[in-house]
Amino acid sequence: MYIVAEKEIAGLMTPAAAFEAIEAVFAAMAARKAYNFPVVREAIGYEDALYGFKGGFDGAALTLGLKAGGYWPNNQKHNLINHQSTIFLFDADTGRAKAAIGGNLLTALRTAAASAVSIKYLAPKGAKVLGMIGAGHQSAFQMKAAAAVHSFEKVIGWNPHPEMLTRLAETAAGLGLPFEAVELDRLGAEADVIISITSAFSPLLMDAHVKGETHIAAMGTDTKGKQELDPALVARARIFTDEVAQSISIGETQHAIAAHLIAEEAVHELGAVVTGAIPGRDGAEVTLFDGTGVGLQDLAVAAKVLELAIEKGLAQQAEL
């Protein structure tokens, strides 16, 4: 089997390659050529950690495997980031272990690529202002991926801890874009595309904040109880997601569903827009991508980075 170390990922995987991999897996899911396995996610009762598995099989690319890992909130004392994961790929023909690949950076890249795919297909025509809600580790990846698929002229941002907004300002500067810190009412009114990437458990962006044609990529809600958006805002949007079952149970739409503001039928697969099976904005003033994160996305970027690592001689080999 091959081993691709975490330290090699940054030199191998580009945002463009991640985007291509994620766009392809969205299409494969919509065509029913790929499916995710049930997610396992457990509080292990030690170090306040959440640990789990996400896996699946992509019959179009013949990619089989899983991501194992989770969230260790006390990792700062070990000089490690809180999210830790490893992706394992298996040979679809034989079931033999094919590769073990560092999953930390890949998780950030695939999450950003997923929102970028939604922006490509759902952003209002002529969108100029990108709004960022959240300034954590993932926010820089999100901004860079968004700027790679759409020509924005300005970035505005908000974070519950304003001192962290320097990350957004520095990232925007690196992209050659002006940045301004604003309150959420201004962000909702002025941004044409909004990316929310926080760990909030109560709504931040309210229905009254959002004015005019807007696309929202809600990327932070991936667990029961988490929430970034006002359910009324969700209810007036045309909604898309990576996987409907996951969206309505642990994604942003869980709250609008619970409040009986929308039915499951209101939630569409983004992959169906990618394949052309259904329209995107279709006249809607507000579109929403509920990005919950699925195992197939992890496998898609892992398979791509393995291919690149083998080409460049950076994949170690080991016998089991």
Side-chain angles (χ1 to χ4, degrees):
M1 66 178 290
Y2 291 103
I3 298 172
V4 183
E6 181 70 39
K7 66 180 181 180
E8 304 290 357
I9 304 299
L12 290 167
M13 196 61 173
T14 65
F19 181 93
E20 288 180 13
I22 297 304
E23 187 177 42
V25 86
F26 272 129
M29 288 173 64
R32 301 298 180 261
K33 294 179 180 178
Y35 64 98
N36 295 287
F37 304 153
V39 174
V40 174
R41 187 175 174 89
E42 297 289 338
I44 65 173
Y46 180 71
E47 286 289 346
D48 302 319
L50 290 172
Y51 179 70
F53 306 92
K54 285 184 175 183
F57 175 58
D58 184 341
L62 294 182
T63 305
L64 173 68
L66 60 89
K67 180 173 78 171
Y71 184 72
W72 266 254
N74 305 317
N75 266 0
Q76 186 175 2
K77 65 185 179 184
H78 301 295
N79 294 316
L80 296 170
I81 64 172
N82 293 343
H83 288 92
Q84 293 291 324
S85 61
T86 305
I87 302 169
F88 298 91
L89 299 178
F90 296 85
D91 189 306
D93 293 316
T94 66
R96 285 181 59 83
K98 184 176 181 180
I101 301 167
N104 296 342
L105 179 56
L106 284 180
T107 298
L109 288 170
R110 67 87 158 145
T111 305
S115 66
V117 172
S118 81
I119 291 167
K120 174 183 174 179
Y121 288 93
L122 299 173
K125 187 176 181 180
K128 295 179 180 179
V129 180
L130 173 63
M132 297 291 305
I133 299 175
H137 176 72
Q138 176 71 41
S139 63
F141 295 97
Q142 291 285 333
M143 190 191 301
K144 290 175 184 176
V149 296
H150 190 88
S151 295
F152 293 101
E153 296 180 0
K154 180 181 179 180
V155 180
I156 57 178
W158 178 89
N159 191 67
H161 304 287
E163 66 275 9
M164 293 177 63
L165 287 169
T166 53
R167 175 180 276 122
L168 297 183
E170 290 168 2
T171 305
L175 295 167
L177 295 171
F179 173 79
E180 184 181 1
V182 299
E183 294 302 319
L184 284 169
D185 56 348
R186 267 195 65 192
L187 189 146
E190 296 180 15
D192 304 301
V193 172
I194 299 170
I195 299 173
S196 59
I197 183 72
T198 74
S199 56
F201 278 82
S202 59
L204 302 171
L205 188 66
M206 306 306 292
D207 185 34
H209 291 157
V210 178
K211 311 290 186 183
E213 280 199 318
T214 310
H215 173 59
I216 304 167
M219 306 304 294
T221 300
D222 58 359
T223 301
K224 194 76 173 175
K226 289 178 75 174
Q227 185 178 14
E228 297 185 294
L229 308 182
D230 181 354
L233 174 58
V234 174
R236 76 171 167 106
R238 181 163 164 79
I239 307 167
F240 301 87
T241 189
D242 33 30
E243 187 172 76
V244 174
Q246 198 160 276
S247 171
I248 65 174
S249 59
I250 64 170
E252 194 61 48
T253 65
Q254 64 180 285
H255 306 286
I257 290 278
H260 305 291
L261 296 176
I262 63 169
E264 179 179 339
E265 292 71 29
V267 186
H268 311 286
E269 292 180 332
L270 179 59
V273 181
V274 174
T275 62
I278 63 172
R281 296 198 65 81
D282 197 28
E285 182 179 57
V286 178
T287 52
L288 167 66
F289 173 61
D290 184 11
T292 62
V294 295
L296 282 170
Q297 294 169 354
D298 296 300
L299 302 185
V301 290
K304 183 60 180 179
V305 87
L306 176 62
E307 176 188 322
L308 295 170
I310 293 172
E311 285 178 5
K312 298 185 177 182
L314 295 175
Q316 305 170 49
Q317 288 187 281
E319 290 289 336
L320 285 181

